[in-house]
Amino acid sequence: QAIPLRYITVGRTLAEGLMSSMCGKYSDKINCTQLAHVDDGFEEHTLGAMYEHCLAHPRHRVMYLHNKGSFHATLENHRLRLHLTDAVTSSDCIERASIEDCDVCGLLFHPFPEPHFPGNMFI
């Protein structure tokens, strides 16, 4: 069964057919659905939609990924984005987030000043 991939775009509109083309290559593995497009904002739109999904489906596992650093395209941001994505999509992280004793996984967890994952990518 294909895994649902839901996304929200922010800012400039993507080229016509871009996501269909990208998702079409993996249609046996993922089922892409665009939830919305907003002209302004940041992660709050996607995080809000994810939060609402989790409230409605508390037993579902979700993964949050984004194009970290895309507003400031630097080599450092590119490397950080790859490192964060590799960690969250690793089989180790996915498997650990699937057992009862673990309900979150990401590259690095910080308990202060509030519990969070720097880079904001997690399962």
Side-chain angles (χ1 to χ4, degrees), residues 12-107:
R12 64 182 169 87
T13 305
L14 298 177
E16 184 72 32
L18 176 65
M19 289 303 293
S20 296
S21 172
M22 289 172 52
C23 292
K25 294 177 188 176
Y26 306 100
S27 60
D28 59 325
K29 295 183 173 76
I30 58 174
N31 178 9
C32 297
T33 304
Q34 183 170 6
L35 299 177
H37 172 80
V38 294
D39 292 327
D40 296 310
F42 294 97
E43 299 174 69
E44 71 274 9
H45 300 289
T46 306
L47 287 169
M50 186 177 77
Y51 178 75
E52 293 298 324
H53 178 89
C54 290
L55 287 177
H57 307 281
R59 297 184 56 80
H60 284 187
R61 294 286 180 183
V62 298
M63 179 182 293
Y64 182 70
L65 299 170
H66 62 96
N67 56 345
K68 175 76 180 158
S70 63
F71 287 123
H72 307 285
T74 65
L75 182 57
E76 292 82 14
N77 278 340
H78 176 72
R79 288 179 176 157
L80 176 60
R81 181 173 50 252
L82 290 178
H83 200 51
L84 291 164
T85 303
D86 285 347
V88 173
T89 59
S90 71
S91 59
D92 190 45
C93 199
I94 291 169
E95 289 168 13
R96 286 175 189 262
S98 298
I99 61 176
E100 289 185 29
D101 293 343
C102 177
D103 61 1
V104 68
C105 188
L107 178 64

